[in-house]
Amino acid sequence: MAADQRWRAQRRGGESLSHFVTRTIRDAIVSGQLAPGERIPQEQIGSALDVSRIPVREALRQLESEGLVRLTPNSFARVAKLDIAEVREIYLMRERIEPLAMELSMPGLTETHLRRLDDLRKDIDANRDNSEMVLQLDRDFHLACYEGAPTRIRRLVGDFWNATQHARRAYANAVASDDEHEVMCAEHYLIYVALREGNSEQAGALMRSHIARTRLRLERERSVSSEV
């Protein structure tokens, strides 16, 4: 993709300039358009979005706090790299926090939320040959499980997902198989059923084991054992 194509974003109604720039850069990182370790072209971003350097710098500081960007004094901003120890640490935190998010979310999940979860899990199964689509749908499924949870914990979980997106992409490419896809879909189905039945304890336990299984596979895969 040509570099300038990455910054053709539209500012949403009522969206602050700082939020707009931050969202645009974050989307480019999470989607893989900016790779780990890649220099972030600040001047190009400012020019494409028709903003000064100030909101770009503010955005980079925000993204640094989210773990997506590394800033070095008197140097360029770059997309953050995580080594396997850092990825493992985040996954261990996810194993504890996401079951809690599930428990807090369940009372706020409506029939509309549950229908969307059902649609997402079916879409994941239907797109098994499109790994990038599965990555996005899998992320959407997980975050949709927590739609009823308080904003603070949803934001924390979202930051964890953003920070490890490159690791998930490497993992998906390394272990892509029909068997792996079937296991993931089966786990999503069981989580969905537990949520629909209102069993937060079971849903949380299923989510924890689901995340733990991915962590263990990540640790075993040599393709992500270096920086990702």
Side-chain angles (χ1 to χ4, degrees), residues 10-20 23:
Q10 294 295 319
R11 188 174 174 184
R12 297 167 181 166
E15 185 176 31
S16 71
L17 191 59
S18 177
H19 188 277
F20 167 56
R23 174 175 61 82

Side-chain angles (χ1 to χ4, degrees), residues 167-185:
R168 293 180 62 246
R169 184 171 284 108
Y171 165 80
N173 292 334
V175 303
S177 69
D178 287 341
D179 288 346
E180 175 67 19
H181 191 88
E182 290 293 341
V183 171
M184 178 179 65
C185 288

Side-chain angles (χ1 to χ4, degrees), residues 53-71:
R53 294 182 180 182
I54 294 175
V56 176
R57 290 172 179 170
E58 290 175 349
L60 293 175
R61 284 194 291 269
Q62 172 60 34
L63 293 170
E64 182 184 37
S65 74
E66 296 176 17
L68 292 177
V69 168
R70 296 278 165 85
L71 298 176

